[in-house]
């Protein structure tokens, strides 16, 4: 089966009350790890690539690696998603290169570092939606800037992230604006800002409500019960990987990620896509450091990459189980872009919103 639109997967997740981890990929070993975990757990897959990943791997190499995954695992529905597109042009080039879903991140301007106005965000996102839906591709938008409520700062992901310090209001998605944004753009999914950030250094302590606003998800879901919400920067930063890295020469200080139980609360409140990258990077790094230290004379790259795939596969399998994704791949009737283009054209997938009426 060919790749499927992400909307297909998110709709099924919403109907059945689960979330889907969206794993960032850059190379063969990462894709193999994800697919083995998905096969083992019978889970649908979202493989996503940033602009940096596309530059690193090369457009053609990355596309064919993901197509190879679809050919090798035809029973697993796979969406190929562009993560953090900085401009309509980036999204259009992704669609031309076979991506079945794109993120137009208009929360920042095209330089990927300057916070954008609400009107700018609406304009560029709506433009991408119109083009993408015409060919059946899904679109994720973002409202609010991803960053720490502790420091007011954000970490860059492959060069994408705001510079300087922002206010709490800028770092939390406003529910009223979320309703207007969805109505005017017709996005398939909405990434919201709740205090999460990219990288391993998300929190200096185990997060509580004042620095991880899970309650904001609930507020937005009440206003937009039919909109698929997305959590970015949601790696949990397991201590086991930090311990192995530091045991074998690493120097990662104490840090905290997003607890799985908090993500599960988000899923129960409308989150359908959960972005994860750092956890897999940590697992791979832990495996490579361990393998190198235990056999320092070995120079076969496979000696390092085989355990890295094993460790990353464990992370992916755990998330598929913890987000209740497992067991759902075989229940999804796979459909392609042409079928979804027809659905969009008929208005069958229009974003529905719900107004709160004061009593």
């Amino acid at each position: 089966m060919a790749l499927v639109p992400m909307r297909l997967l998110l709709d099924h997740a919403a109907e059945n009350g689960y979330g889907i981890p969206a794993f960032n990929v850059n190379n063969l070993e990462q894709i193999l790890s994800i697919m083995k975990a998905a096969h083992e757990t019978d889970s649908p897959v979202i493989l996503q690539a940033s602009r940096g990943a596309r530059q690193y791997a090369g457009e053609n190499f990355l596309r064919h690696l993901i197509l190879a995954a679809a050919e090798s695992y035809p029973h697993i529905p796979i969406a190929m998603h562009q993560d953090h597109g900085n401009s309509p042009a980036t999204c259009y080039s992704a669609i031309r290169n076979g991506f079945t879903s794109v993120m137009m991140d208009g929360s920042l301007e095209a330089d990927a570092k300057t916070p954008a106005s609400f009107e700018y965000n609406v304009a560029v996102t709506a433009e991408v939606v119109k083009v993408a839906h015409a060919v059946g591709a899904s679109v994720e938008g973002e409202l609010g800037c991803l960053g720490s409520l502790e420091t007011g700062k954000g970490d860059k992901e492959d060069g994408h992230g705001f510079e300087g310090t922002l206010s709490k209001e800028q770092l939390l998605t406003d529910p009223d604006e979320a309703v207007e944004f969805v109505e005017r753009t017709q996005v398939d999914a909405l990434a919201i800002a709740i205090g999460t950030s990219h990288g391993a250094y998300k929190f200096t302590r185990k997060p509580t409500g004042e620095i991880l606003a899970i309650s904001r998800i609930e507020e937005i879901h009440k206003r937009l019960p039919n909109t698929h919400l997305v959590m970015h920067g949601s790696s949990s930063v397991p201590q086991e990987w930090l311990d192995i890295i530091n045991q074998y020469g690493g120097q990662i200080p104490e840090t905290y990620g997003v607890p799985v139980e908090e993500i599960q609360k988000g899923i129960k409140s409308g989150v359908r896509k959960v972005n994860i990258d750092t956890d897999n990077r940590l697992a791979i790094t832990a495996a490579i450091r361990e393998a190198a230290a235990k056999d320092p004379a070995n120079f076969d790259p496979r000696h390092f990459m085989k355990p890295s795939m094993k460790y990353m596969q464990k992370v992916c399998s755990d998330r598929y189980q913890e987000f209740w994704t497992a067991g759902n791949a075989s229940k999804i009737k796979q459909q392609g872009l042409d079928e979804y283009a027809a659905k969009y054209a008929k208005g069958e997938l229009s974003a529905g919103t719900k107004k709160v009426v004061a009593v």
Side-chain angles (χ1 to χ4, degrees), residues 145-161:
C145 294
L146 203 67
S148 170
L149 292 174
E150 284 188 282
T151 65
K153 298 180 179 179
D155 285 321
K156 290 185 180 295
E157 177 73 10
D158 285 341
H160 192 101

Side-chain angles (χ1 to χ4, degrees), residues 222-264:
K222 287 179 181 177
R223 301 292 305 276
L224 293 168
N226 301 316
T227 297
H228 305 308
L229 302 181
V230 182
M231 285 179 65
H232 279 237
S234 294
S235 283
S236 299
V237 192
Q239 188 64 44
E240 63 181 303
W241 305 130
L242 301 181
D243 289 343
I244 294 174
I245 290 170
N246 290 339
Q247 179 183 349
Y248 294 105
Q251 297 182 1
I252 297 181
E254 183 177 51
T255 181
Y256 294 85
V258 184
V260 168
E261 59 267 24
E262 296 298 322
I263 298 173
Q264 290 174 331

